[in-house]
mmCIF file of all heavy atoms in Angstrom:
data_model
loop_
_atom_site.group_PDB
_atom_site.id
_atom_site.type_symbol
_atom_site.label_atom_id
_atom_site.label_comp_id
_atom_site.label_asym_id
_atom_site.label_seq_id
_atom_site.Cartn_x
_atom_site.Cartn_y
_atom_site.Cartn_z
ATOM 1 N N VAL A 1 0.834 -1.200 0.000
ATOM 2 C CA VAL A 1 0.000 0.000 0.000
ATOM 3 C C VAL A 1 0.870 1.251 0.000
ATOM 4 O O VAL A 1 0.570 2.227 -0.697
ATOM 5 C CB VAL A 1 -0.974 -0.011 1.196
ATOM 6 C CG1 VAL A 1 -1.654 1.337 1.377
ATOM 7 C CG2 VAL A 1 -2.016 -1.095 1.009
ATOM 8 N N GLY A 2 1.956 1.231 0.758
ATOM 9 C CA GLY A 2 2.861 2.384 0.788
ATOM 10 C C GLY A 2 3.470 2.658 -0.573
ATOM 11 O O GLY A 2 3.530 3.810 -1.025
ATOM 12 N N ILE A 3 3.896 1.611 -1.257
ATOM 13 C CA ILE A 3 4.468 1.772 -2.600
ATOM 14 C C ILE A 3 3.397 2.249 -3.574
ATOM 15 O O ILE A 3 3.636 3.149 -4.380
ATOM 16 C CB ILE A 3 5.117 0.453 -3.076
ATOM 17 C CG1 ILE A 3 6.377 0.176 -2.256
ATOM 18 C CG2 ILE A 3 5.446 0.502 -4.553
ATOM 19 C CD1 ILE A 3 6.939 -1.215 -2.439
ATOM 20 N N TYR A 4 2.202 1.672 -3.485
ATOM 21 C CA TYR A 4 1.123 2.083 -4.387
ATOM 22 C C TYR A 4 0.778 3.563 -4.202
ATOM 23 O O TYR A 4 0.690 4.319 -5.178
ATOM 24 C CB TYR A 4 -0.129 1.231 -4.163
ATOM 25 C CG TYR A 4 -1.315 1.751 -4.932
ATOM 26 C CD1 TYR A 4 -1.411 1.557 -6.298
ATOM 27 C CD2 TYR A 4 -2.324 2.477 -4.295
ATOM 28 C CE1 TYR A 4 -2.482 2.051 -7.025
ATOM 29 C CE2 TYR A 4 -3.391 2.981 -5.013
ATOM 30 C CZ TYR A 4 -3.468 2.767 -6.366
ATOM 31 O OH TYR A 4 -4.521 3.270 -7.079
ATOM 32 N N ILE A 5 0.576 3.991 -2.954
ATOM 33 C CA ILE A 5 0.204 5.390 -2.707
ATOM 34 C C ILE A 5 1.344 6.317 -3.095
ATOM 35 O O ILE A 5 1.120 7.380 -3.678
ATOM 36 C CB ILE A 5 -0.215 5.593 -1.239
ATOM 37 C CG1 ILE A 5 -1.487 4.814 -0.941
ATOM 38 C CG2 ILE A 5 -0.436 7.080 -0.948
ATOM 39 C CD1 ILE A 5 -1.880 4.813 0.526
ATOM 40 N N GLY A 6 2.574 5.915 -2.782
ATOM 41 C CA GLY A 6 3.724 6.748 -3.148
ATOM 42 C C GLY A 6 3.811 6.962 -4.651
ATOM 43 O O GLY A 6 3.963 8.088 -5.127
ATOM 44 N N ILE A 7 3.695 5.890 -5.417
ATOM 45 C CA ILE A 7 3.765 6.004 -6.879
ATOM 46 C C ILE A 7 2.543 6.744 -7.422
ATOM 47 O O ILE A 7 2.666 7.580 -8.325
ATOM 48 C CB ILE A 7 3.914 4.615 -7.529
ATOM 49 C CG1 ILE A 7 5.306 4.065 -7.219
ATOM 50 C CG2 ILE A 7 3.701 4.682 -9.033
ATOM 51 C CD1 ILE A 7 5.521 2.635 -7.657
ATOM 52 N N ALA A 8 1.371 6.468 -6.848
ATOM 53 C CA ALA A 8 0.156 7.153 -7.297
ATOM 54 C C ALA A 8 0.265 8.657 -7.086
ATOM 55 O O ALA A 8 -0.200 9.445 -7.911
ATOM 56 C CB ALA A 8 -1.064 6.604 -6.557
ATOM 57 N N ASN A 9 0.883 9.075 -5.995
ATOM 58 C CA ASN A 9 1.049 10.503 -5.733
ATOM 59 C C ASN A 9 2.139 11.110 -6.604
ATOM 60 O O ASN A 9 2.082 12.297 -6.934
ATOM 61 C CB ASN A 9 1.350 10.752 -4.259
ATOM 62 C CG ASN A 9 0.146 10.479 -3.380
ATOM 63 O OD1 ASN A 9 -0.982 10.454 -3.838
ATOM 64 N ND2 ASN A 9 0.390 10.271 -2.113
ATOM 65 N N LEU A 10 3.143 10.340 -6.976
ATOM 66 C CA LEU A 10 4.232 10.860 -7.811
ATOM 67 C C LEU A 10 3.856 10.972 -9.287
ATOM 68 O O LEU A 10 4.562 11.616 -10.050
ATOM 69 C CB LEU A 10 5.478 9.982 -7.662
ATOM 70 C CG LEU A 10 6.167 10.036 -6.302
ATOM 71 C CD1 LEU A 10 7.327 9.051 -6.256
ATOM 72 C CD2 LEU A 10 6.639 11.440 -5.977
ATOM 73 N N ILE A 11 2.748 10.369 -9.682
ATOM 74 C CA ILE A 11 2.308 10.435 -11.073
ATOM 75 C C ILE A 11 2.030 11.875 -11.492
ATOM 76 O O ILE A 11 2.144 12.223 -12.658
ATOM 77 C CB ILE A 11 1.081 9.514 -11.288
ATOM 78 C CG1 ILE A 11 1.561 8.074 -11.343
ATOM 79 C CG2 ILE A 11 0.298 9.875 -12.523
ATOM 80 C CD1 ILE A 11 0.467 7.066 -11.502
ATOM 81 N N GLY A 12 1.698 12.732 -10.521
ATOM 82 C CA GLY A 12 1.433 14.129 -10.819
ATOM 83 C C GLY A 12 2.616 14.844 -11.449
ATOM 84 O O GLY A 12 2.453 15.821 -12.179
ATOM 85 N N ILE A 13 3.822 14.367 -11.188
ATOM 86 C CA ILE A 13 5.021 14.962 -11.780
ATOM 87 C C ILE A 13 4.996 14.822 -13.299
ATOM 88 O O ILE A 13 5.436 15.706 -14.022
ATOM 89 C CB ILE A 13 6.296 14.284 -11.215
ATOM 90 C CG1 ILE A 13 6.437 14.587 -9.742
ATOM 91 C CG2 ILE A 13 7.537 14.737 -11.960
ATOM 92 C CD1 ILE A 13 7.540 13.810 -9.071
ATOM 93 N N LEU A 14 4.459 13.723 -13.780
ATOM 94 C CA LEU A 14 4.402 13.463 -15.218
ATOM 95 C C LEU A 14 3.221 14.140 -15.902
ATOM 96 O O LEU A 14 3.027 13.972 -17.104
ATOM 97 C CB LEU A 14 4.344 11.952 -15.469
ATOM 98 C CG LEU A 14 5.488 11.131 -14.859
ATOM 99 C CD1 LEU A 14 5.241 9.648 -15.059
ATOM 100 C CD2 LEU A 14 6.815 11.555 -15.439
ATOM 101 N N GLY A 15 2.436 14.878 -15.135
ATOM 102 C CA GLY A 15 1.306 15.598 -15.707
ATOM 103 C C GLY A 15 -0.011 14.852 -15.655
ATOM 104 O O GLY A 15 -1.023 15.343 -16.136
ATOM 105 N N PHE A 16 -0.018 13.656 -15.083
ATOM 106 C CA PHE A 16 -1.257 12.895 -14.961
ATOM 107 C C PHE A 16 -1.981 13.277 -13.672
ATOM 108 O O PHE A 16 -1.371 13.779 -12.742
ATOM 109 C CB PHE A 16 -0.974 11.385 -14.939
ATOM 110 C CG PHE A 16 -0.368 10.876 -16.207
ATOM 111 C CD1 PHE A 16 0.967 10.490 -16.244
ATOM 112 C CD2 PHE A 16 -1.118 10.781 -17.363
ATOM 113 C CE1 PHE A 16 1.535 10.019 -17.404
ATOM 114 C CE2 PHE A 16 -0.560 10.306 -18.537
ATOM 115 C CZ PHE A 16 0.773 9.925 -18.553
ATOM 116 N N LYS A 17 -3.259 12.986 -13.632
ATOM 117 C CA LYS A 17 -4.042 13.217 -12.420
ATOM 118 C C LYS A 17 -3.749 12.080 -11.440
ATOM 119 O O LYS A 17 -3.897 10.910 -11.796
ATOM 120 C CB LYS A 17 -5.525 13.249 -12.775
ATOM 121 C CG LYS A 17 -6.447 13.458 -11.612
ATOM 122 C CD LYS A 17 -7.885 13.507 -12.082
ATOM 123 C CE LYS A 17 -8.641 12.396 -11.403
ATOM 124 N NZ LYS A 17 -10.032 12.353 -11.733
ATOM 125 N N PRO A 18 -3.338 12.391 -10.212
ATOM 126 C CA PRO A 18 -3.057 11.321 -9.240
ATOM 127 C C PRO A 18 -4.329 10.536 -8.908
ATOM 128 O O PRO A 18 -5.372 11.143 -8.651
ATOM 129 C CB PRO A 18 -2.560 12.072 -8.005
ATOM 130 C CG PRO A 18 -2.239 13.447 -8.449
ATOM 131 C CD PRO A 18 -3.055 13.710 -9.679
ATOM 132 N N PRO A 19 -4.274 9.209 -8.913
ATOM 133 C CA PRO A 19 -5.458 8.411 -8.580
ATOM 134 C C PRO A 19 -5.972 8.694 -7.175
ATOM 135 O O PRO A 19 -7.164 8.586 -6.920
ATOM 136 C CB PRO A 19 -4.974 6.965 -8.688
ATOM 137 C CG PRO A 19 -3.719 7.012 -9.456
ATOM 138 C CD PRO A 19 -3.143 8.376 -9.294
ATOM 139 N N THR A 20 -5.073 9.061 -6.266
ATOM 140 C CA THR A 20 -5.487 9.320 -4.889
ATOM 141 C C THR A 20 -6.245 10.637 -4.755
ATOM 142 O O THR A 20 -6.702 10.973 -3.675
ATOM 143 C CB THR A 20 -4.260 9.327 -3.962
ATOM 144 O OG1 THR A 20 -3.240 10.133 -4.534
ATOM 145 C CG2 THR A 20 -3.735 7.926 -3.758
ATOM 146 N N LYS A 21 -6.394 11.367 -5.856
ATOM 147 C CA LYS A 21 -7.214 12.580 -5.866
ATOM 148 C C LYS A 21 -8.697 12.212 -5.971
ATOM 149 O O LYS A 21 -9.562 13.034 -5.721
ATOM 150 C CB LYS A 21 -6.797 13.478 -7.031
ATOM 151 C CG LYS A 21 -7.419 14.845 -7.013
ATOM 152 C CD LYS A 21 -6.881 15.641 -8.182
ATOM 153 C CE LYS A 21 -7.882 16.371 -8.956
ATOM 154 N NZ LYS A 21 -9.040 15.850 -9.500
ATOM 155 N N ASP A 22 -8.983 10.986 -6.308
ATOM 156 C CA ASP A 22 -10.354 10.490 -6.394
ATOM 157 C C ASP A 22 -10.737 9.859 -5.057
ATOM 158 O O ASP A 22 -10.040 8.976 -4.554
ATOM 159 C CB ASP A 22 -10.451 9.458 -7.517
ATOM 160 C CG ASP A 22 -11.853 8.950 -7.742
ATOM 161 O OD1 ASP A 22 -12.790 9.439 -7.085
ATOM 162 O OD2 ASP A 22 -12.011 8.059 -8.598
ATOM 163 N N ILE A 23 -11.847 10.293 -4.494
ATOM 164 C CA ILE A 23 -12.256 9.794 -3.173
ATOM 165 C C ILE A 23 -12.573 8.304 -3.203
ATOM 166 O O ILE A 23 -12.458 7.624 -2.184
ATOM 167 C CB ILE A 23 -13.437 10.604 -2.611
ATOM 168 C CG1 ILE A 23 -13.587 10.300 -1.126
ATOM 169 C CG2 ILE A 23 -14.708 10.324 -3.365
ATOM 170 C CD1 ILE A 23 -14.153 11.391 -0.322
ATOM 171 N N ASN A 24 -12.933 7.757 -4.357
ATOM 172 C CA ASN A 24 -13.214 6.324 -4.450
ATOM 173 C C ASN A 24 -11.954 5.497 -4.206
ATOM 174 O O ASN A 24 -12.015 4.430 -3.597
ATOM 175 C CB ASN A 24 -13.819 5.986 -5.810
ATOM 176 C CG ASN A 24 -15.164 6.623 -6.007
ATOM 177 O OD1 ASN A 24 -16.012 6.566 -5.123
ATOM 178 N ND2 ASN A 24 -15.360 7.248 -7.151
ATOM 179 N N VAL A 25 -10.823 5.976 -4.683
ATOM 180 C CA VAL A 25 -9.561 5.261 -4.463
ATOM 181 C C VAL A 25 -9.176 5.309 -2.998
ATOM 182 O O VAL A 25 -8.836 4.287 -2.393
ATOM 183 C CB VAL A 25 -8.436 5.852 -5.352
ATOM 184 C CG1 VAL A 25 -7.094 5.242 -5.018
ATOM 185 C CG2 VAL A 25 -8.766 5.650 -6.814
ATOM 186 N N THR A 26 -9.242 6.499 -2.394
ATOM 187 C CA THR A 26 -8.851 6.609 -0.987
ATOM 188 C C THR A 26 -9.834 5.870 -0.085
ATOM 189 O O THR A 26 -9.423 5.266 0.910
ATOM 190 C CB THR A 26 -8.732 8.079 -0.558
ATOM 191 O OG1 THR A 26 -9.974 8.742 -0.753
ATOM 192 C CG2 THR A 26 -7.648 8.785 -1.344
ATOM 193 N N ALA A 27 -11.116 5.887 -0.441
ATOM 194 C CA ALA A 27 -12.106 5.155 0.358
ATOM 195 C C ALA A 27 -11.864 3.656 0.274
ATOM 196 O O ALA A 27 -11.951 2.954 1.286
ATOM 197 C CB ALA A 27 -13.518 5.499 -0.102
ATOM 198 N N SER A 28 -11.545 3.157 -0.911
ATOM 199 C CA SER A 28 -11.292 1.716 -1.037
ATOM 200 C C SER A 28 -10.028 1.308 -0.284
ATOM 201 O O SER A 28 -9.996 0.243 0.343
ATOM 202 C CB SER A 28 -11.223 1.296 -2.498
ATOM 203 O OG SER A 28 -10.160 1.952 -3.149
ATOM 204 N N LEU A 29 -9.002 2.140 -0.316
ATOM 205 C CA LEU A 29 -7.798 1.850 0.467
ATOM 206 C C LEU A 29 -8.103 1.852 1.961
ATOM 207 O O LEU A 29 -7.621 0.994 2.704
ATOM 208 C CB LEU A 29 -6.696 2.863 0.154
ATOM 209 C CG LEU A 29 -6.011 2.741 -1.192
ATOM 210 C CD1 LEU A 29 -5.146 3.968 -1.474
ATOM 211 C CD2 LEU A 29 -5.178 1.475 -1.252
ATOM 212 N N ALA A 30 -8.920 2.809 2.397
ATOM 213 C CA ALA A 30 -9.287 2.879 3.805
ATOM 214 C C ALA A 30 -10.136 1.676 4.218
ATOM 215 O O ALA A 30 -9.949 1.119 5.307
ATOM 216 C CB ALA A 30 -10.029 4.178 4.093
ATOM 217 N N ILE A 31 -11.047 1.253 3.357
ATOM 218 C CA ILE A 31 -11.889 0.095 3.671
ATOM 219 C C ILE A 31 -11.048 -1.170 3.747
ATOM 220 O O ILE A 31 -11.210 -1.986 4.667
ATOM 221 C CB ILE A 31 -13.030 -0.046 2.633
ATOM 222 C CG1 ILE A 31 -14.046 1.087 2.830
ATOM 223 C CG2 ILE A 31 -13.709 -1.403 2.738
ATOM 224 C CD1 ILE A 31 -15.056 1.219 1.712
ATOM 225 N N LEU A 32 -10.124 -1.348 2.795
ATOM 226 C CA LEU A 32 -9.227 -2.506 2.862
ATOM 227 C C LEU A 32 -8.404 -2.489 4.149
ATOM 228 O O LEU A 32 -8.224 -3.527 4.798
ATOM 229 C CB LEU A 32 -8.291 -2.529 1.655
ATOM 230 C CG LEU A 32 -8.880 -3.007 0.348
ATOM 231 C CD1 LEU A 32 -7.899 -2.780 -0.790
ATOM 232 C CD2 LEU A 32 -9.255 -4.468 0.440
ATOM 233 N N SER A 33 -7.922 -1.318 4.510
ATOM 234 C CA SER A 33 -7.111 -1.213 5.720
ATOM 235 C C SER A 33 -7.932 -1.501 6.971
ATOM 236 O O SER A 33 -7.462 -2.180 7.879
ATOM 237 C CB SER A 33 -6.466 0.174 5.824
ATOM 238 O OG SER A 33 -5.479 0.313 4.841
ATOM 239 N N ILE A 34 -9.159 -0.998 7.037
ATOM 240 C CA ILE A 34 -9.967 -1.238 8.233
ATOM 241 C C ILE A 34 -10.358 -2.713 8.334
ATOM 242 O O ILE A 34 -10.433 -3.266 9.429
ATOM 243 C CB ILE A 34 -11.195 -0.308 8.300
ATOM 244 C CG1 ILE A 34 -11.704 -0.195 9.742
ATOM 245 C CG2 ILE A 34 -12.311 -0.766 7.434
ATOM 246 C CD1 ILE A 34 -10.770 0.427 10.695
ATOM 247 N N ILE A 35 -10.586 -3.367 7.184
ATOM 248 C CA ILE A 35 -10.863 -4.808 7.219
ATOM 249 C C ILE A 35 -9.653 -5.547 7.775
ATOM 250 O O ILE A 35 -9.785 -6.443 8.613
ATOM 251 C CB ILE A 35 -11.246 -5.322 5.811
ATOM 252 C CG1 ILE A 35 -12.635 -4.810 5.431
ATOM 253 C CG2 ILE A 35 -11.188 -6.840 5.741
ATOM 254 C CD1 ILE A 35 -13.018 -5.061 3.987
ATOM 255 N N LEU A 36 -8.462 -5.154 7.326
ATOM 256 C CA LEU A 36 -7.252 -5.785 7.831
ATOM 257 C C LEU A 36 -7.055 -5.500 9.319
ATOM 258 O O LEU A 36 -6.656 -6.386 10.077
ATOM 259 C CB LEU A 36 -6.034 -5.301 7.042
ATOM 260 C CG LEU A 36 -4.718 -5.960 7.427
ATOM 261 C CD1 LEU A 36 -4.711 -7.416 6.979
ATOM 262 C CD2 LEU A 36 -3.563 -5.219 6.828
ATOM 263 N N ILE A 37 -7.349 -4.287 9.754
ATOM 264 C CA ILE A 37 -7.206 -3.925 11.164
ATOM 265 C C ILE A 37 -8.139 -4.767 12.022
ATOM 266 O O ILE A 37 -7.730 -5.338 13.035
ATOM 267 C CB ILE A 37 -7.478 -2.413 11.365
ATOM 268 C CG1 ILE A 37 -6.358 -1.586 10.723
ATOM 269 C CG2 ILE A 37 -7.626 -2.077 12.838
ATOM 270 C CD1 ILE A 37 -6.693 -0.121 10.529
ATOM 271 N N GLU A 38 -9.395 -4.856 11.617
ATOM 272 C CA GLU A 38 -10.356 -5.645 12.399
ATOM 273 C C GLU A 38 -10.029 -7.136 12.329
ATOM 274 O O GLU A 38 -10.163 -7.843 13.328
ATOM 275 C CB GLU A 38 -11.779 -5.367 11.920
ATOM 276 C CG GLU A 38 -12.220 -3.929 12.112
ATOM 277 C CD GLU A 38 -12.061 -3.419 13.536
ATOM 278 O OE1 GLU A 38 -12.275 -4.191 14.488
ATOM 279 O OE2 GLU A 38 -11.722 -2.230 13.701
ATOM 280 N N LEU A 39 -9.580 -7.608 11.170
ATOM 281 C CA LEU A 39 -9.176 -9.009 11.037
ATOM 282 C C LEU A 39 -7.994 -9.321 11.951
ATOM 283 O O LEU A 39 -7.938 -10.390 12.570
ATOM 284 C CB LEU A 39 -8.826 -9.327 9.587
ATOM 285 C CG LEU A 39 -8.375 -10.752 9.294
ATOM 286 C CD1 LEU A 39 -9.521 -11.723 9.548
ATOM 287 C CD2 LEU A 39 -7.884 -10.877 7.876
ATOM 288 N N SER A 40 -7.063 -8.390 12.054
ATOM 289 C CA SER A 40 -5.921 -8.610 12.952
ATOM 290 C C SER A 40 -6.378 -8.704 14.400
ATOM 291 O O SER A 40 -5.838 -9.483 15.180
ATOM 292 C CB SER A 40 -4.877 -7.502 12.783
ATOM 293 O OG SER A 40 -5.369 -6.264 13.255
ATOM 294 N N GLY A 41 -7.404 -7.933 14.762
ATOM 295 C CA GLY A 41 -7.967 -8.027 16.107
ATOM 296 C C GLY A 41 -8.622 -9.367 16.363
ATOM 297 O O GLY A 41 -8.472 -9.952 17.434
ATOM 298 N N VAL A 42 -9.344 -9.872 15.360
ATOM 299 C CA VAL A 42 -9.987 -11.187 15.487
ATOM 300 C C VAL A 42 -8.930 -12.282 15.606
ATOM 301 O O VAL A 42 -9.044 -13.184 16.435
ATOM 302 C CB VAL A 42 -10.920 -11.458 14.281
ATOM 303 C CG1 VAL A 42 -11.410 -12.895 14.283
ATOM 304 C CG2 VAL A 42 -12.096 -10.497 14.293
ATOM 305 N N LEU A 43 -7.878 -12.197 14.782
ATOM 306 C CA LEU A 43 -6.831 -13.216 14.824
ATOM 307 C C LEU A 43 -6.068 -13.191 16.148
ATOM 308 O O LEU A 43 -5.677 -14.234 16.662
ATOM 309 C CB LEU A 43 -5.850 -13.022 13.663
ATOM 310 C CG LEU A 43 -6.408 -13.309 12.266
ATOM 311 C CD1 LEU A 43 -5.386 -12.934 11.202
ATOM 312 C CD2 LEU A 43 -6.814 -14.765 12.141
ATOM 313 N N ALA A 44 -5.863 -12.018 16.715
ATOM 314 C CA ALA A 44 -5.086 -11.896 17.951
ATOM 315 C C ALA A 44 -5.916 -12.219 19.193
ATOM 316 O O ALA A 44 -5.423 -12.855 20.124
ATOM 317 C CB ALA A 44 -4.512 -10.495 18.072
ATOM 318 N N LYS A 45 -7.184 -11.812 19.224
ATOM 319 C CA LYS A 45 -8.001 -11.940 20.433
ATOM 320 C C LYS A 45 -9.049 -13.034 20.345
ATOM 321 O O LYS A 45 -9.680 -13.366 21.341
ATOM 322 C CB LYS A 45 -8.719 -10.618 20.713
ATOM 323 C CG LYS A 45 -7.792 -9.459 20.947
ATOM 324 C CD LYS A 45 -8.578 -8.167 21.050
ATOM 325 C CE LYS A 45 -7.654 -6.981 21.151
ATOM 326 N NZ LYS A 45 -8.393 -5.712 21.092
ATOM 327 N N GLY A 46 -9.270 -13.542 19.155
ATOM 328 C CA GLY A 46 -10.356 -14.487 18.966
ATOM 329 C C GLY A 46 -11.658 -13.723 18.766
ATOM 330 O O GLY A 46 -11.735 -12.514 19.017
ATOM 331 N N GLY A 47 -12.690 -14.421 18.351
ATOM 332 C CA GLY A 47 -13.972 -13.780 18.066
ATOM 333 C C GLY A 47 -14.589 -13.108 19.275
ATOM 334 O O GLY A 47 -15.054 -11.976 19.209
#
């Protein structure tokens, strides 16, 4: 995710619109991250 966001933000140098400027991209990254966060809680503490 760090590499993806870093490269997505650097695309602006080449004159392209950064994908992270679209709220759908940032929302999907946030949703994936929150699923992983909650999953890590389930794996560590049990249901």
